[in-house]
């Protein structure tokens, strides 16, 4: 996870066309927050009554959140202390997507945990499994997307983010 985030952050520094990255972040090529400790992660797990997937905990132990690398490409990731159930943070979106014909999406949004994109155009959600031992789901979700975009894993999402960043940099010839 550390190597993947290092590459993402290195590319984010190159991609920063809005000058939102500080000089120090540029120098060290690191835009992530300080790592979260085990105690903090455990407290949030207890508060939400879940056990986070291993790869999400690994991300938190490397960088406890990080900003988006450009305006609309991907959501930022929140500090673990700031995350919560989407139904508590944005009940209107859960209600909107719980209407007739969208009951399944609404039910999934209701149990999802918002870990990225708070007050941004799109969210990144962790969805706990319905049964013990089943896989977590990872969604990028926005009202303007016709449905969710599901990723097989957080690592797969981050790898896609890195690939998109690298392709964008090549096209722009930074």
């Amino acid at each position: 996870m550390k190597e993947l985030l290092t590459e993402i952050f290195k590319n984010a520094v190159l991609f920063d066309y809005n000058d939102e990255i500080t000089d120090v972040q540029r120098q060290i090529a690191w835009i992530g927050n300080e790592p979260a400790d085990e105690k903090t992660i455990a407290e949030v797990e207890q508060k939400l009554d879940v056990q986070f997937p291993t790869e999400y905990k690994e991300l938190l132990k490397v960088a406890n959140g990080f900003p988006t690398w450009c305006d609309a490409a991907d959501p930022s990731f929140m500090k673990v202390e700031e995350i919560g159930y989407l139904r508590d943070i944005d009940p209107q979106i859960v209600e909107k997507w719980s209407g007739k014909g969208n009951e399944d999406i609404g039910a999934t949004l209701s149990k999802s945990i918002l870990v990225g994109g708070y007050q941004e155009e799109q969210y990144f959600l962790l969805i706990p499994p319905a049964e013990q031992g089943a896989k977590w789901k990872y969604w990028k979700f926005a009202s303007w997307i016709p449905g969710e975009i599901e990723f097989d894993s957080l690592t797969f999402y981050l790898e896609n983010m890195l690939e998109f960043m690298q392709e964008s940099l090549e096209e722009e010839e930074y």
Side-chain angles (χ1 to χ4, degrees), residues 42 54 58 65 74 78 84 88 102 119 136 138-139:
T54 302
E58 289 173 2
D74 281 285
M78 301 154 58
D88 298 328
N102 293 316
Q119 296 185 333
W136 282 70
Y138 304 87
W139 279 13

Side-chain angles (χ1 to χ4, degrees), residues 46-139:
Q46 183 176 9
K47 179 182 94 173
L48 299 176
D49 194 27
V50 298
Q51 287 287 310
F52 293 132
T54 302
E55 64 182 342
Y56 180 60
K57 289 185 199 185
E58 289 173 2
L59 178 140
L60 294 171
K61 291 175 188 176
V62 174
N64 187 12
F66 55 89
T68 186
W69 54 276
C70 79
D71 280 345
D74 281 285
S76 61
F77 273 72
M78 301 154 58
K79 292 181 178 181
V80 71
E81 303 90 334
E82 300 168 347
I83 71 170
Y85 284 101
L86 184 61
R87 65 179 178 251
D88 298 328
I89 296 171
D90 190 351
Q92 294 84 10
I93 199 162
V94 173
E95 183 179 324
K96 177 181 176 182
W97 283 90
S98 295
K100 189 174 183 173
N102 293 316
E103 293 87 357
D104 289 345
I105 292 177
T108 301
L109 290 175
S110 180
K111 67 180 186 175
S112 67
I113 300 170
L114 177 63
V115 298
Y118 178 64
Q119 296 185 333
E120 297 173 7
E121 290 186 26
Q122 51 194 334
Y123 292 145
F124 195 84
L125 305 168
L126 298 183
I127 304 161
E131 303 169 1
Q132 190 170 353
K135 281 183 63 175
W136 282 70
K137 292 184 180 181
Y138 304 87
W139 279 13

Side-chain angles (χ1 to χ4, degrees), residues 147-163:
E148 73 285 351
I149 300 172
E150 187 169 341
F151 295 87
D152 291 334
S153 68
L154 180 59
T155 301
F156 183 70
Y157 168 75
L158 293 170
E159 289 169 346
N160 279 327
M161 180 193 297
L162 177 59
E163 184 179 323

